DNA sequence: AGGAAACCTG
DNA sequence: CAGGTTTCCT
């Protein structure tokens, strides 16, 4: 490698290969190629298509042999790679190696113009071969070099230059690969495994080499057509037509855009040099853009494939992936279906659908060893930082009793459990989100008991989860691979169930007797009255717990509180009334005042709170009523009622007599 | 049952 | 001060 040789063009072109193309930088080197290379015959098909095929082969060789990575010696590549590449080369263009030597013996000017095309093709092929550094081409290059050395010293210089190019490329590669790519999958690889790291690194470097290759190809082609422009004058119509055909095919291959067709057809009629130049410039620009896009697409796809392969190899070799790695790998795994849709949405809808299809096909071939087809990947999806599938909460197994607040503990559905969304929805509609899911066989025991803190769980969350569950539980593509997955961790759009929707569903479902609605219904009032037999001072949390089918808001909560306030009002009014009545009746001892189910007081209360008398009033309520009556009797007897706030003392006493509302009030509507 | 107002409380 | 409670009233 002659470092003294001015090879900045290669270097700078390599540098600019990531951001912008610099055809002018490539120009000198390429011009030398143009005029010094021997001639070869143009076969059918376009230059670009053939070159792309070649590039694909080279990429394949690179991929399989890691040629670039292993100091670019021919011994590094496997024999299969050589055979495949060489066979392909001979198959695609039979003229390439031999044609080089044979036709190269004659100077360029002495050949007809068809030979000129062949020469250009051969030069480009040679460039690609050298750039790819495939052992096959290397052999050709060696023989060619020997031949050309005898003939022309320029050939030797060119070969020398290219040889140096070969060796500079990996240098730059390592540079850029270490600088740029290492933080992409490398960041996801907090490696516990060196081989995986190496694999990842190799793949990254391959990617870079491929990227560079494509970029150089693009520049070469730009130069090819730039060189051809001044020659249009000297051509006859057929040759110009052939050239146009080549351009057309290539442009169609690269863009497939209609406006380009229009430009092409207009160019068909143009004869003048300026016209051709303008059109050629447009073509070049378009091709450049197309190549750029192609490069981007292919690069990102290749990055994805690399990451996929790394993880696949790691998993296939039984390497235990640490949790952070799995977190990075799981989006990839779960993205299989997404990628298809994304591909359908992004790449195939584009005007370059044909190109994308061709690219994917070639990539499929290029990655023929891979069982997984990378064709669906059009973006660097693996590099997209997604919400980790294994969020901290998901590590909580379903059997873990709730050490966290319920609103942090998501519903966890085991996909192995056959569960239909209708079950959950039915349960939600019947018992509400705050009711326990113990009745459902799939529900973990952590959800069996609903404690008062569970009311912090907003109904929206439940609704969203139920929607998510209904949408994805039934037909998850890979249930077994994901295992128990928390619904929370599915990166799915949060769809809120409308109350009306649920209501209509409930109406259609005969099993759903309780509607979920914004407002409070008479049924809720009745239930509240029955609850009053247990609790006179229910907290808002208790209310939310025992009214799971109510979408709580400030108004609803106030309404429920007001209800109980009214209940208390009536209750205390009755107590005061009966206490005063007892005093009026001459009851001298508090112990003579009792409250039984036959009491007038109880009848009044039962009439008020249990009008239908279909509820068995708990005995505890009778006790509390008796205590309250005694308190009022004592207070009135002590003339404490002169104090405007004399009842407050009684309230303090009574509020401590609340008992727990039975669970049936949660799980049953009592309607 | 509910509105209004005063009152209480964190 | 917001929200809840009590009281009074209709």
């Amino acid at each position: 490698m002659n470092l003294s040789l001015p090879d900045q063009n290669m270097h700078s072109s390599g540098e600019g290969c990531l951001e912008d193309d610099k055809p002018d930088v490539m120009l000198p080197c390429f011009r030398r190629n143009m005029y010094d290379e021997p001639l070869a015959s143009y076969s059918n098909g376009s230059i670009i298509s053939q070159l792309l095929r070649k590039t694909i082969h080279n990429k394949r060789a690179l991929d399989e042999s890691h040629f670039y990575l292993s100091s670019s010696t021919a011994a590094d590549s496997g024999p299969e790679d050589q055979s495949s590449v060489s066979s392909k080369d001979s198959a695609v263009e039979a003229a390439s190696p031999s044609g080089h030597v044979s036709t190269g013996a004659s100077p360029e000017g002495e050949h007809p113009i068809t030979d000129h095309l062949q020469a250009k093709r051969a030069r480009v092929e040679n460039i690609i071969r050298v750039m790819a550094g495939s052992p096959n081409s290397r052999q050709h290059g060696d023989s060619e070099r020997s031949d050309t050395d005898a003939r022309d010293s320029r050939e030797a210089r060119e070969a020398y230059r290219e040889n140096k190019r070969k060796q500079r490329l990996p240098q730059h590669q390592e540079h850029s690969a270490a600088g740029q790519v290492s933080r992409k999958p490398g960041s996801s690889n907090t490696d516990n495994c060196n081989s995986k790291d190496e694999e990842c690194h190799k793949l990254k470097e391959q990617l870079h080499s491929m990227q560079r290759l494509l970029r150089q190809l693009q520049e070469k082609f730009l130069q090819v057509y730039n060189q051809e422009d001044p020659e249009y004058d000297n051509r006859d119509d057929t040759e110009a037509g052939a050239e146009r055909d080549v351009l057309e095919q290539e442009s169609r291959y690269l863009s497939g855009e209609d406006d380009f067709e229009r430009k092409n057809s207009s160019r068909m009629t143009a004869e003048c040099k300026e016209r051709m130049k303008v059109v050629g410039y447009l073509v070049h620009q378009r091709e450049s853009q197309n190549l750029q896009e192609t490069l981007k697409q292919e690069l990102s796809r290749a990055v994805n494939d690399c990451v996929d392969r790394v993880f696949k190899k790691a998993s296939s070799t039984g390497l235990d992936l640490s949790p952070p790695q799995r977190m990075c790998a799981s989006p990839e795994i779960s993205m299989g279906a997404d990628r298809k849709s994304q591909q359908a949405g992004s790449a195939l809808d584009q005007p370059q659908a044909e190109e994308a299809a061709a690219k994917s096909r070639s990539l499929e071939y290029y990655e023929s060893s891979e069982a997984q087809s990378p064709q669906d990947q059009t973006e660097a999806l693996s590099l997209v930082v997604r919400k980790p599938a294994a969020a901290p909460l998901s590590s909580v197994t379903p059997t873990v009793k709730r050490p966290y607040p319920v609103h942090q503990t998501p519903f966890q559905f085991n996909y192995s459990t056959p569960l239909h969304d209708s079950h959950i929805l039915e349960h939600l509609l019947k018992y509400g989100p705050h009711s326990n899911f113990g009745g459902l066989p799939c529900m973990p025991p952590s959800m069996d008991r609903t404690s008062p803190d569970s009311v912090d769980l907003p109904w929206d969350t439940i609704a969203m989860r139920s929607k998510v569950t209904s949408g994805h539980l039934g037909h998850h593509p890979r249930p077994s691979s994901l295992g128990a997955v928390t619904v929370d961790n599915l990166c799915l759009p949060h769809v809120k169930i409308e109350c009306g929707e649920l209501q209509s569903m409930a109406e259609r479902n005969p099993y759903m007797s309780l509607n979920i609605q914004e407002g409070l219904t008479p049924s809720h009032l009745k239930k509240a009255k029955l609850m009053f037999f247990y609790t006179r001072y229910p907290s808002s949390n208790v209310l939310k717990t025992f009214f799971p089918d109510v979408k709580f808001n400030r108004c609803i909560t106030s309404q429920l509180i007001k209800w109980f306030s009214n209940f208390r009002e009536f209750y205390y009014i009755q107590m005061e009334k009966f206490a005063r009545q007892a005093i009026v009746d001459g009851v001298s001892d508090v112990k003579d005042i009792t409250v039984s189910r036959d009491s007038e007081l109880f009848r009044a209360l039962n009439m008020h709170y249990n009008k239908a008398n279909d509820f068995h009033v708990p005995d505890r309520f009778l006790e509390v009523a008796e205590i309250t009556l005694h308190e009022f009797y004592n207070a009135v007897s002590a003339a404490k009622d002169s104090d405007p706030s004399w009842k407050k003392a009684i309230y303090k006493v009574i509020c401590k007599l609340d008992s727990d509302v039975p669970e049936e009030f949660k799980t049953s509507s009592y309607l």
Side-chain angles (χ1 to χ4, degrees):
Chain A
M1 54 222 79
N2 194 346
L3 294 175
S4 64
L5 263 175
D7 53 348
Q8 298 158 344
N9 41 6
M10 275 316 295
H11 190 69
S12 56
S13 72
E15 296 242 286
C17 87
L18 288 181
E19 289 97 13
D20 53 339
D21 39 354
K22 299 175 182 176
D24 47 337
V25 181
M26 282 302 290
L27 197 54
C29 158
F30 190 73
R31 279 210 177 115
R32 192 189 301 261
N33 272 342
M34 285 288 294
Y35 293 112
D36 296 348
E37 284 282 342
L39 295 175
S41 65
Y42 269 113
S43 62
N44 56 346
S46 68
I47 296 176
I48 287 180
S49 59
Q50 293 194 30
L51 281 171
L52 281 175
R53 251 178 290 165
K54 229 180 210 312
T55 309
I56 285 155
H57 300 327
N58 288 332
K59 277 190 286 184
R60 184 151 160 260
L62 285 174
D63 177 58
E64 290 169 358
S65 64
H66 302 159
F67 180 81
Y68 265 150
L69 304 169
S70 42
S71 73
S72 71
T73 53
D76 284 337
S77 66
E80 325 133 357
D81 302 330
Q82 293 189 19
S83 64
S84 72
V85 171
S86 61
S87 67
K88 271 290 174 184
D89 280 350
S90 57
V92 170
E93 359 90 37
S96 69
S98 56
H100 268 235
V101 182
S102 62
T103 58
S106 307
E108 180 179 333
E110 301 173 6
H111 280 270
I113 291 172
T114 51
D115 283 354
H116 180 74
L117 293 174
Q118 292 175 356
K120 269 180 287 189
R121 176 178 170 230
R123 284 194 295 270
V124 174
E125 285 168 2
N126 187 38
I127 289 162
I128 291 161
R129 205 178 296 117
V130 170
M131 283 192 304
S134 77
N136 182 42
S137 58
R138 187 121 186 238
Q139 285 175 354
H140 295 319
D142 286 339
S143 62
E144 176 192 347
R145 204 184 307 157
S146 61
D147 288 335
T148 52
D149 276 342
R151 275 182 281 106
D152 200 341
S153 63
R154 288 180 305 178
E155 283 290 331
R157 278 207 306 274
E158 183 63 29
Y160 186 67
R161 169 187 291 266
E162 288 171 359
N163 189 24
K164 185 164 65 65
R165 203 181 297 154
K166 262 185 295 186
Q167 295 179 359
R168 282 195 63 89
L169 282 171
Q171 282 180 351
H172 181 71
Q173 244 176 11
E174 288 170 3
H175 213 304
S176 65
Q180 196 211 2
V181 189
S182 62
R183 66 188 140 85
K184 291 176 182 176
S187 63
S188 66
N189 266 346
T190 57
D191 246 349
N192 55 356
C193 154
N194 286 335
S195 67
K196 223 171 357 128
D197 216 12
E198 290 174 8
E199 177 78 9
C200 201
H201 189 66
K202 286 175 180 176
L203 292 168
K204 275 184 270 179
E205 288 178 347
Q206 288 171 32
L207 261 179
H208 268 267
S209 66
M210 284 153 51
Q211 183 189 21
R212 175 193 307 276
L213 215 89
L214 279 168
R215 174 66 53 153
Q216 289 176 354
L217 261 178
Q218 174 186 359
E219 290 167 355
K220 301 288 183 194
F221 281 120
L222 282 174
Q223 295 312 312
V224 165
Y225 293 124
N226 281 335
Q227 292 297 322
E228 260 166 8
D229 279 343
E231 296 167 6
Y232 274 111
D233 284 341
N234 305 328
R235 294 188 184 183
D236 57 28
D237 288 336
T238 60
E239 280 161 355
E243 183 71 20
R244 283 194 301 266
D245 284 341
V246 167
L247 282 173
E248 240 178 334
Q249 289 177 14
E250 285 161 5
S251 60
R252 236 184 263 128
Y253 178 82
L254 284 171
S255 69
E257 293 177 12
D258 291 335
D259 59 336
F260 182 78
E261 294 273 0
R262 269 182 265 118
K263 280 171 187 164
N264 247 0
S265 59
S266 70
R267 191 164 46 114
M268 293 287 266
T269 62
E271 295 286 332
C272 68
K273 174 182 176 179
E274 276 85 303
R275 185 77 181 269
M276 295 303 271
K277 270 195 173 179
V278 167
V279 175
Y281 175 72
L282 289 174
V283 168
H284 298 160
Q285 276 214 328
R286 188 163 293 273
E287 284 174 355
S288 172
Q289 289 175 359
N290 290 331
L291 268 169
Q292 207 168 341
E293 289 188 4
T294 303
L295 258 175
K296 288 174 185 174
Q297 288 185 1
E298 198 148 6
L299 187 72
S300 45
R301 190 160 37 194
V303 169
N304 280 330
D305 294 338
C306 284
V307 177
D308 280 344
R309 214 179 316 163
V310 165
F311 281 101
K312 196 184 293 178
K313 282 193 177 178
S315 60
S316 65
T317 51
L319 289 169
D320 188 27
L321 291 176
S322 63
Q325 284 168 342
R326 201 175 300 140
M327 282 167 61
C328 296
S330 42
E332 277 293 304
I333 293 168
S334 63
M335 235 182 290
D338 293 345
R339 259 190 249 142
K340 281 199 162 55
S341 58
Q342 283 195 358
Q343 164 86 5
S346 61
L348 291 183
D349 284 351
Q350 289 175 358
Q352 300 178 345
E354 185 183 345
E355 182 202 10
K359 286 281 174 187
S360 61
R361 258 183 269 120
S362 37
L363 264 180
E364 255 179 2
Y365 176 63
Y366 145 68
E367 287 208 328
S368 58
S369 63
E370 295 297 317
Q372 180 183 358
S373 162
Q375 65 177 354
D376 300 321
Q377 223 162 306
T378 56
E379 293 179 81
L381 294 176
S382 62
L383 304 180
V384 175
V385 179
R386 284 205 169 191
K387 183 179 176 183
L393 279 174
S394 72
S395 61
V396 180
T397 59
T399 55
V400 171
K401 289 287 182 180
R402 174 165 19 106
Y404 318 94
V406 161
H407 67 272
Q408 286 183 3
T409 309
F411 290 140
Q412 293 174 332
F413 300 111
N414 197 327
Y415 282 119
S416 62
T417 307
L419 172 68
H420 293 293
D421 52 327
S422 58
H423 292 155
I424 295 174
L425 265 183
E426 183 181 336
H427 187 92
L428 285 169
L429 289 169
K430 202 169 182 179
Y431 305 118
H434 307 302
S435 64
N436 69 60
F437 276 73
L440 289 175
C442 67
M443 298 318 286
S446 62
M447 288 304 294
D448 277 357
R449 286 279 155 195
T450 311
S451 60
D453 60 345
S454 68
V455 298
D456 291 334
L457 195 62
W459 163 243
D460 303 48
T461 313
I462 306 291
M464 181 273 291
R465 284 173 186 162
S466 70
K467 187 75 168 187
V468 162
T469 303
S470 69
H472 291 267
L473 261 185
H475 49 78
H476 198 280
R478 260 177 277 241
S480 56
S481 68
L482 292 173
V485 174
T486 58
V487 181
D488 268 6
N489 293 328
L490 295 174
C491 302
L492 299 166
H494 290 194
V495 184
K496 183 177 166 185
I497 287 186
E498 296 296 328
C499 285
E501 182 186 349
L502 271 182
Q503 214 165 334
S504 60
M505 289 170 67
E507 283 163 5
R508 285 195 299 268
N509 194 328
Y511 300 104
M512 302 175 184
S513 56
L514 204 153
N515 298 345
I516 295 171
Q517 43 196 307
E518 302 268 352
L520 294 167
T521 62
S523 302
H524 293 125
L525 179 59
K526 181 183 178 182
K527 183 176 179 177
K529 285 179 175 179
L530 295 181
M531 284 174 63
F532 186 77
F533 286 126
Y534 298 93
T535 174
R536 269 63 56 184
Y537 294 89
S539 66
S540 59
N541 282 343
V542 169
L543 292 178
K544 288 172 183 172
T545 304
F546 285 91
F547 289 95
D549 53 343
V550 173
K551 183 175 182 178
F552 274 83
N553 52 39
R554 189 176 294 177
C555 181
I556 296 294
T557 306
S558 297
Q559 178 62 32
L560 268 172
I561 289 171
K562 174 69 175 178
W563 277 358
F564 275 86
S565 179
N566 288 334
F567 300 159
R568 288 190 297 269
E569 188 179 18
F570 180 81
Y571 175 81
Y572 289 128
I573 288 172
Q574 297 298 316
M575 291 300 164
E576 185 182 357
K577 188 172 85 178
F578 275 83
R580 293 185 184 277
Q581 184 67 42
I583 293 172
V584 168
D585 288 348
V587 175
S588 58
D589 195 353
V590 180
K591 295 172 185 174
D592 294 338
I593 302 172
T594 60
V595 176
S596 70
R597 300 185 186 270
D598 299 328
S599 305
E600 197 75 19
L601 174 61
F602 177 79
R603 263 186 280 178
L605 294 173
N606 192 53
M607 193 63 180
H608 190 76
Y609 304 118
N610 185 24
K611 194 170 266 183
N613 201 21
D614 52 356
F615 181 78
H616 181 72
V617 179
D619 292 336
R620 175 64 179 165
F621 179 74
L622 295 175
E623 298 171 18
V624 172
E626 193 171 294
I627 295 170
T628 309
L629 191 56
H630 289 175
E631 289 290 326
F632 269 94
Y633 177 89
N634 290 332
V636 172
S637 298
K640 290 178 181 176
D641 55 345
S642 58
D643 186 359
S645 62
W646 63 280
K647 294 179 185 176
K648 287 187 180 177
I650 300 173
Y651 297 157
K652 272 188 177 178
V653 173
I654 303 305
C655 75
K656 294 172 185 172
L657 302 178
D658 275 5
S659 54
D660 292 336
V661 180
E663 291 287 321
E664 300 91 80
F665 281 86
K666 299 178 191 172
T667 59
S668 170
S669 62
Y670 278 101
L671 298 176

